[in-house]
Amino acid sequence: MSAVIDDHGHAKDDHHHGDHHHGYGGMMRWITTTNHKDIGTMYLWFSFMMFMVGGTMALVIRAELFSPGLQIVNPDFFIQMTTMHGLIMVFGAIMPAFVGFANWLIPMQIGAPDMAFARMNNWSFWILPFAGSLLIMSFFVPGGAPGVGWTMYAPLTVQMGMGMDLTIFAVHLLGMSSIMGSINIVTTILNMRAPGMTLMKMPLFVWTWLITAYLLIASMPVLAGAVTMTLTDRHFGTSFFNAAGGGDPVLYQHIFWFFGHPEVYIIILPAFGVVSQILPAFSRKPLFGYASMVYATSSIAILSFIVWAHHMYTVGMPVTGQLFFMYATTLIAVPTACKIFNWLATMWRGSLTFETPMLFALGFLFLFTMGGFSGLVLALAAVDIQLHDTYYVVAHFHYVMVAGALFTAFGGIYFWLPKWTGKMYNETLGKWHFWLTMIFFNITFFVQHFSGLAGMPRRIPDYPLMFETWNKISSIGAFGFGFSQLLFLYIIVKAITSGEKAADKQWEGADSLEWTHLPSPAPYHSFETPPAIK
Amino acid sequence: MQQFSARKSGQWALIAGLFAIAAAGSAHALVWNLQPAATKIADDIHSLHEYVMVLIVVIFVGVFGVMFYSVFAHRKSKGHKAANFHENTTVEIIWTVIPFLILVVIAWPATRAVIAQKDTSNSDLTIKVTGHQWKWGYDYIKGEGEGISFVSKLSTPRDQIEGTAAKGENYLLEVDNELVVPVGKKIRILTTAADVIHAWGVPAFGAKQDAIPGFIRDIHFKAEKIGTFRGQCVELCGKEHGFMPIVVRVVSAEDYTKWVDGEKKKLAAAADDPAKVWTLDDIKARGEKVYAANCVACHQANGKGTPPAFPPLDGGKITIGPKAGHIDIVLNGKPNTAMAAFAKQLNDTDIAAVVTYERNAWGNKTGELIQPAEIKALRK
Amino acid sequence: MIGWSQEFPRQQLAFQGQGSGFSLLLKRNCSISPSGLMWVYGSIAVVTMGIAAGFAALGAWVILPFAGIEILALGIAFTLNGRHAGDYEHIELGEGSVKVEVRESDFVRYHEFNTAWASVRVAGKGHSMRVFLAESGRSLEIGRHLPTQGRLDLAGELTRRLRK
């Protein structure tokens, strides 16, 4: 005999009202929370705050570069701005944004109740505000923030003041947070999938994060080591990167980029995942070539460990080294192209609509491909020697980082906001936000290809007259780009406070578990019982 | 979702605006491409770049042709019904192989260019380039002109940078001593640095090489045109990174010989006699010039510096303390700071002059006069 | 949307057995086997330590301790998570007794309660609610692998059958 127990009325009530906050209210709720949804939300808001701080720094840079000559800031402060803009955007804005997505979505997409280590999840978030404050504090110590570029090349780092030490400490904390996050994500994905959710049935976003977490675990100790050696070279008389003491400054670059190149994919792979969720939803058609997408992502991850020296073609490598890294780098174009073709095939003969998330995904597809093209140009060692450390490189990595990561982050937020909050954003304003962002982004960065080709070096506060027009256009674009993001803030706040109620399956074509199995907003505790996956 | 078609026109207006802005930009005489090549290698780089750009444009049209066709033809508002295919191994193999083949096509010219760029053998002239914060040192070490050695600094006046004077044509791209090389000769450049990593490069030559402290790396170029070619330091090297240009004057073989002769004579004439005994006013006047050329960027004209990175000299512990300490820091620098060792950059007279100047300028009134002979004695 | 609670797939507690008795096996949901987890761990450890060792050979030995600490942390995390992968509770209601077999990491314990004396107690509220099977002087927490709702269901069903 078998019996099935029915719902008890009181039990259901309990489920809905739930003791969400475990006895705490207000601020303490957020400090003590171990709920993946709360933590995801905090990651996203933190990332947005850092995005605003880093963006303001970018505007200081662009204001100074509006005209040749020194007008607003001195060269010292200018370089501090470029350094901190880079560090804050990479480690403070983009990475936490995607960890935020991971927290919100991975448990819901694999049918798990929460992350594997809920308490550690709380810690890995709360490290971030301390790290962010340290970075900002470095402006206020004697000597100011380090002016060494986000890559922190030795031996310039040795000349910096106390700000450098604060930055090193901040990088350590950020690394620690990332590692804890990655351990959590790997364990969650491997061990907490609902019965029937085999690896090859996982949504692509989950796959990209599994691979990303693997990359993070493999590459983070390298960064930690690099900055620690910088620290001991500065204060404890070691000579890892000091030629006078038998070290090698170029070793630092090898170490940094051995971390740095996987880092680029750590940033972009989750973005690929987000796009792979959005495009099928608005094409009303399943993702084309799911398996090949997984393989392509894995090959990109593996290749990312053997291409690092393409950032260093001008250090004077032997010709064989130059050629090896050139071939390996161009090889990345193959899986990347594969992914782009798969996305196009997903759209092909679909039934397309163009809500804001879809617009951002298409914007990503277009601009990321452009960034890929300039990447191909830069991969060719001979051409790169001409373009190394010029604005061409600046244009290239903003096309892949901003158009790649930021656009997808926007797209993802618009896409999942209805699920997260149960409220809809204003579609008209969302489209305005997309078009303003898209147009001003291109005004800002497309012209930088030209100044770069003509030889304008990066990280200079003042420039020869031939670059003036491009810089003026770029600065105008940057201010437009920056202020357009205030519209984003308005749209989100408005949606949360007074948005229309969202449907449980807001997007007709969405097919992952959070859309098919959960109401909107997703309940505070979801999938305590694993769903059945067919 | 359905409102989209109604808003289409508005969005098209925005796209049109984008192109209008782009078109407005092109109305100016602008630099659109790599600088005109003056060497065979730069020329190779140009062709390689153009070749790849053509491929990129073709791929661009192909890929986005498909995307935009799909965006226009397969939209729901037109009533297009979604198909349900999601796999096709043949297609996937094809579009993995095609990019690979394209790469193979690019690889051949790309490899040739790298090999040509890296071949520094059989050079006619070897010049060592030393990066300093923030100027370039040039030593002709082999070939015609051997022994010539000078330092090359930005010559754009400070008031142009600060905007109180009109900017000249070669703003930020002009130096006091240009590197002079003969046309049609293979020049091997050895790079190194005294403090941090710099990068020496001239876009028109297709040459760029990091200058790494403690290591020597080499590149080469063979200019095929007479003229003046300009570049900038391209590796972040501290606060004045944007202000250390590179200017190379390519001259005919005869002019080069003439220049070498003139330079040698100048060197002989300018050689200061370290035994000369100076008066305080004379040596202070000379010291002020040396200060303006070497020290002012950090320690400022008023001697106040920009603490804490660049300490003040006016009333500074070292500048009014014992002179031995003062001379030592100028000669040997201070490790792990931007304070460079000037022992190799300045001669005894200049060092004596600048130390004397610093000890008697602004509020410093030590009244001490340091003679070049004292410096000579202190050199290790 | 009222319909959600119906569409929401619920884990069904199947009380199998004859007559008034039942046999219930409650396990954690683990989607990877301990050996699978070991393989993943091995691959991450080899790659990470390999990279660190390579750099150590080039003179940058500082990376090695960081890699070591990290791999250790990952190991601890996997162990904590994996050693409980095989945990289960086997609850069997037979004639006159409730037998509970509990496996926790490497230990298996057997408990037996007399149906005449045993009762079900519920402590706590909401998500911190716990269910105990109690007899004079001793009690055992049961249903730890179940979600809140499941625990309530178990408590209800067990109570009903014990009273029969």
Side-chain angles (χ1 to χ4, degrees):
Chain A
M1 190 206 91
S2 79
V4 176
I5 296 183
D6 296 317
D7 275 341
H8 297 279
H10 68 277
K12 221 164 99 187
D13 280 348
D14 178 72
H15 196 279
H16 284 273
H17 297 297
D19 52 338
H20 289 181
H21 319 140
H22 301 280
Y24 290 114
M27 197 55 207
M28 278 311 278
R29 168 200 171 180
W30 294 101
I31 291 174
T32 55
T33 184
T34 56
N35 181 282
H36 73 103
K37 299 185 177 79
D38 282 350
I39 292 171
T41 305
M42 291 195 294
Y43 264 109
L44 288 167
W45 276 112
F46 174 79
S47 139
F48 186 76
M49 267 154 56
M50 284 288 131
F51 173 60
M52 283 295 167
V53 173
T56 310
M57 291 176 180
L59 294 188
V60 172
I61 294 170
R62 284 316 322 170
E64 175 57 48
L65 290 176
F66 185 74
S67 300
L70 296 175
Q71 290 87 21
I72 299 169
V73 295
N74 61 42
D76 226 353
F77 191 68
F78 181 90
I79 299 169
Q80 294 177 19
M81 283 284 131
T82 57
T83 306
M84 283 296 152
H85 166 72
L87 284 170
I88 287 181
M89 285 305 201
V90 169
F91 292 110
I94 300 181
M95 286 178 64
F98 285 102
V99 181
F101 278 105
N103 263 294
W104 256 105
L105 296 172
I106 288 176
M108 294 203 291
Q109 291 194 331
I110 62 174
D114 203 312
M115 300 293 279
F117 304 103
R119 178 59 58 192
M120 186 165 85
N121 203 13
N122 171 289
W123 297 336
S124 49
F125 171 76
W126 279 107
I127 288 175
L128 289 182
F130 291 99
S133 318
L134 276 180
L135 279 180
I136 291 163
M137 239 162 71
S138 68
F139 280 104
F140 303 102
V141 297
V148 289
W150 83 279
T151 51
M152 301 180 282
Y153 276 9
L156 188 57
T157 41
V158 173
Q159 293 183 354
M160 295 297 133
M162 199 183 147
M164 189 75 231
D165 303 320
L166 293 182
T167 304
I168 289 173
F169 194 43
V171 170
H172 269 301
L173 289 179
L174 291 162
M176 218 156 86
S177 160
S178 293
I179 287 172
M180 281 157 61
S182 307
I183 291 177
N184 217 335
I185 286 169
V186 169
T187 317
T188 308
I189 296 176
L190 290 177
N191 206 26
M192 295 181 68
R193 280 167 289 128
M197 177 63 81
T198 57
L199 286 174
M200 291 310 271
K201 273 187 188 160
M202 297 194 306
L204 214 72
F205 177 76
V206 181
W207 254 115
T208 54
W209 249 113
L210 180 61
I211 295 166
T212 302
Y214 194 104
L215 281 181
L216 267 167
I217 292 173
S219 66
M220 268 299 162
V222 180
L223 176 69
V227 295
T228 307
M229 285 183 271
T230 302
L231 189 77
T232 59
D233 269 13
R234 280 167 56 78
H235 297 299
F236 306 113
T238 57
S239 299
F240 290 107
F241 311 129
N242 175 8
D248 180 357
V250 177
L251 179 63
Y252 175 84
Q253 299 185 22
H254 281 294
I255 298 172
F256 181 83
W257 286 113
F258 193 90
F259 149 80
H261 201 80
E263 167 71 17
V264 171
Y265 292 105
I266 286 165
I267 287 171
I268 206 69
L269 291 183
F272 286 172
V274 170
V275 169
S276 304
Q277 303 298 118
I278 296 177
L279 279 178
F282 295 94
S283 305
R284 290 163 182 76
K285 207 167 139 269
L287 183 71
F288 186 87
Y290 172 89
S292 73
M293 286 296 239
V294 172
Y295 302 141
T297 312
S298 314
S299 356
I300 291 174
I302 293 165
L303 284 173
S304 78
F305 279 111
I306 55 163
V307 297
W308 77 92
H310 69 218
H311 297 268
M312 312 162 47
Y313 283 143
T314 62
V315 298
M317 268 180 277
V319 68
T320 42
Q322 210 97 318
L323 290 176
F324 170 79
F325 286 109
M326 177 170 86
Y327 298 146
T329 304
T330 47
L331 216 51
I332 291 188
V334 175
T336 314
C338 231
K339 293 191 79 104
I340 288 174
F341 295 145
N342 276 326
W343 285 324
L344 290 181
T346 304
M347 289 165 61
W348 190 255
R349 291 180 53 211
S351 177
L352 305 177
T353 54
F354 301 91
E355 290 86 345
T356 313
M358 181 63 164
L359 289 179
F360 273 105
L362 291 176
F364 157 85
L365 205 57
F366 186 77
L367 298 176
F368 183 77
T369 307
M370 306 267 277
F373 287 147
S374 56
L376 183 60
V377 172
L378 285 170
L380 308 175
V383 182
D384 179 79
I385 284 184
Q386 191 73 300
L387 300 174
H388 178 82
D389 260 355
T390 67
Y391 262 82
Y392 194 90
V393 177
V394 177
H396 161 71
F397 69 69
H398 280 94
Y399 264 84
V400 287
M401 294 285 106
V402 178
L406 185 67
F407 269 51
T408 38
F410 284 147
I413 288 170
Y414 285 116
F415 185 64
W416 278 292
L417 193 75
K419 182 51 65 185
W420 294 343
T421 64
K423 307 277 182 62
M424 262 307 272
Y425 59 90
N426 182 322
E427 195 63 67
T428 313
L429 288 179
K431 281 177 181 155
W432 267 99
H433 175 227
F434 168 75
W435 284 111
L436 289 173
T437 305
M438 178 80 178
I439 290 166
F440 283 121
F441 170 80
N442 281 289
I443 295 174
T444 312
F445 292 107
F446 198 75
V447 293
Q448 292 183 355
H449 289 115
F450 301 124
S451 40
L453 282 171
M456 178 172 167
R458 60 195 279 212
R459 296 166 173 161
I460 55 173
D462 191 4
Y463 50 83
L465 302 178
M466 62 173 155
F467 305 123
E468 185 176 356
T469 314
W470 294 136
N471 277 288
K472 281 213 152 51
I473 295 176
S474 188
S475 291
I476 293 169
F479 275 86
F481 185 74
F483 286 111
S484 305
Q485 306 322 315
L486 297 178
L487 176 61
F488 174 67
L489 180 63
Y490 171 79
I491 294 170
I492 298 303
V493 171
K494 181 118 187 299
I496 293 172
T497 52
S498 60
E500 280 176 42
K501 196 173 170 355
D504 293 320
K505 190 157 180 270
Q506 180 66 33
W507 314 114
E508 195 187 337
D511 63 351
S512 42
L513 292 181
E514 78 276 23
W515 295 108
T516 53
H517 284 63
L518 293 177
S520 292
Y524 194 69
H525 296 282
S526 48
F527 294 134
E528 291 205 295
T529 313
I533 314 294
K534 274 158 258 160
Chain B
M1 294 174 221
Q2 297 305 327
Q3 297 117 346
F4 178 75
S5 47
R7 295 223 175 73
K8 247 192 303 196
S9 57
Q11 289 171 7
W12 281 113
L14 277 167
I15 296 177
L18 170 66
F19 285 112
I21 291 162
S26 67
H28 303 269
L30 285 168
V31 281
W32 289 95
N33 203 345
L34 297 161
Q35 289 184 21
T39 63
K40 172 82 175 47
I41 285 172
D43 215 37
D44 287 350
I45 293 173
H46 271 238
S47 339
L48 183 58
H49 181 248
E50 267 154 33
Y51 175 67
V52 177
M53 280 309 288
V54 169
L55 278 174
I56 285 176
V57 170
V58 172
I59 301 169
F60 180 93
V61 171
V63 170
F64 292 112
V66 170
M67 180 176 124
F68 281 109
Y69 177 80
S70 183
V71 164
F72 290 111
H74 303 146
R75 48 176 62 207
K76 195 186 179 195
S77 54
K78 277 191 170 174
H80 195 274
K81 292 272 180 297
N84 199 34
F85 61 88
H86 58 87
E87 228 164 17
N88 187 327
T89 314
T90 322
V91 172
E92 284 171 61
I93 290 172
I94 290 172
W95 70 40
T96 310
V97 172
I98 288 177
F100 189 77
L101 292 179
I102 294 175
L103 292 181
V104 173
V105 173
I106 297 173
W108 173 240
T111 306
R112 260 194 357 203
V114 169
I115 291 171
Q117 218 166 22
K118 280 285 177 183
D119 177 18
T120 54
S121 58
N122 300 322
S123 59
D124 301 305
L125 189 59
T126 304
I127 302 171
K128 188 174 102 184
V129 178
T130 310
H132 299 274
Q133 281 174 319
W134 292 276
K135 53 187 173 262
W136 294 102
Y138 294 108
D139 297 281
Y140 289 64
I141 57 175
K142 209 172 135 222
E144 193 184 355
E146 197 173 315
I148 295 175
S149 165
F150 55 86
V151 171
S152 170
K153 289 188 295 277
L154 179 75
S155 64
T156 302
R158 209 71 205 170
D159 50 4
Q160 286 191 17
I161 295 171
E162 274 149 18
T164 49
K167 294 178 175 44
E169 187 198 348
N170 291 316
Y171 176 71
L172 293 190
L173 292 175
E174 49 201 348
V175 295
D176 51 358
N177 299 309
E178 295 166 350
L179 179 67
V180 179
V181 296
V183 72
K185 291 271 162 56
K186 188 167 182 180
I187 317 288
R188 181 170 176 231
I189 297 278
L190 304 177
T191 66
T192 186
D195 31 49
V196 299
I197 301 177
H198 302 263
W200 191 91
V202 178
F205 297 165
K208 186 182 288 168
Q209 173 61 51
D210 287 359
I212 301 158
F215 291 83
I216 289 189
R217 299 287 155 92
D218 64 346
I219 44 161
H220 70 99
F221 64 86
K222 187 174 177 183
E224 279 156 356
K225 279 188 221 158
I226 288 174
T228 306
F229 301 93
R230 297 163 200 277
Q232 289 170 280
C233 177
V234 267
E235 182 63 66
L236 179 61
C237 56
K239 79 182 180 83
E240 302 287 307
H241 161 57
F243 305 93
M244 50 183 293
I246 295 138
V247 182
V248 182
R249 198 164 82 231
V250 179
V251 296
S252 66
E254 303 84 69
D255 287 348
Y256 181 69
T257 310
K258 257 187 256 164
W259 177 80
V260 168
D261 287 345
E263 206 62 19
K264 291 229 156 130
K265 276 189 202 118
K266 238 176 23 192
L267 275 178
D272 290 300
D273 176 9
K276 181 179 169 185
V277 178
W278 294 69
T279 66
L280 182 61
D281 285 342
D282 283 353
I283 202 162
K284 235 184 100 175
R286 171 141 180 186
E288 188 166 3
K289 281 189 205 130
V290 178
Y291 184 83
N294 296 287
C295 319
V296 80
C298 300
H299 295 295
Q300 308 295 318
N302 60 10
K304 299 281 184 211
T306 46
F310 308 110
L313 301 183
D314 185 8
K317 233 182 279 169
I318 289 171
T319 44
I320 57 173
K323 64 182 175 185
H326 191 170
I327 295 169
D328 177 64
I329 199 169
V330 176
L331 274 175
N332 303 316
K334 190 174 176 197
N336 300 343
T337 66
M339 181 63 200
F342 286 92
K344 285 189 187 136
Q345 296 181 39
L346 300 176
N347 66 24
D348 297 340
T349 310
D350 282 341
I351 291 180
V354 77
V355 173
T356 308
Y357 171 74
E358 286 171 1
R359 297 178 77 78
N360 294 289
W362 319 295
N364 299 347
K365 303 265 184 289
T366 59
E368 286 171 59
L369 163 62
I370 290 112
Q371 294 293 354
E374 288 180 59
I375 309 294
K376 198 179 176 191
L378 282 168
R379 275 190 196 268
K380 285 161 201 163
Chain C
M1 290 290 274
I2 303 153
W4 275 106
S5 54
Q6 273 81 46
E7 286 177 39
F8 192 95
R10 310 189 58 85
Q11 187 186 36
Q12 300 184 335
L13 292 177
F15 293 87
Q16 288 169 342
Q18 280 110 41
S20 62
F22 66 78
S23 169
L24 195 60
L25 184 64
L26 304 175
K27 285 172 83 168
R28 268 163 46 114
N29 171 36
C30 283
S31 47
I32 191 167
S33 65
S35 70
L37 206 58
M38 279 313 293
W39 273 105
V40 175
Y41 180 70
S43 86
I44 298 181
V46 166
V47 170
T48 309
M49 295 311 286
I51 291 167
F55 277 115
L58 294 172
W61 56 268
V62 180
I63 293 168
L64 212 49
F66 283 105
I69 293 169
E70 184 199 59
I71 292 304
L72 191 70
L74 184 70
I76 293 170
F78 275 9
T79 312
L80 284 178
N81 199 268
R83 68 185 301 187
H84 291 285
D87 288 8
Y88 62 83
E89 280 174 22
H90 187 188
I91 305 174
E92 208 175 331
L93 178 65
E95 291 302 316
S97 73
V98 190
K99 286 181 189 147
V100 185
E101 182 185 335
V102 179
R103 178 175 160 176
E104 226 171 293
S105 62
D106 297 331
F107 305 101
V108 183
R109 288 196 180 83
Y110 301 93
H111 306 267
E112 201 169 339
F113 293 85
N114 190 321
T115 43
W117 304 104
S119 67
V120 177
R121 300 224 178 101
V122 173
K125 276 200 295 190
H127 286 277
S128 48
M129 187 212 70
R130 300 157 81 192
V131 179
F132 296 88
L133 191 57
E135 211 178 54
S136 58
R138 65 192 181 112
S139 73
L140 173 72
E141 185 177 358
I142 54 171
R144 285 178 305 167
H145 302 306
L146 289 172
T148 319
Q149 182 63 53
R151 282 199 291 272
L152 273 173
D153 296 347
L154 175 66
E157 184 68 17
L158 204 54
T159 308
R160 202 171 335 145
R161 295 197 184 209
L162 283 173
R163 279 185 197 145
K164 259 184 196 165

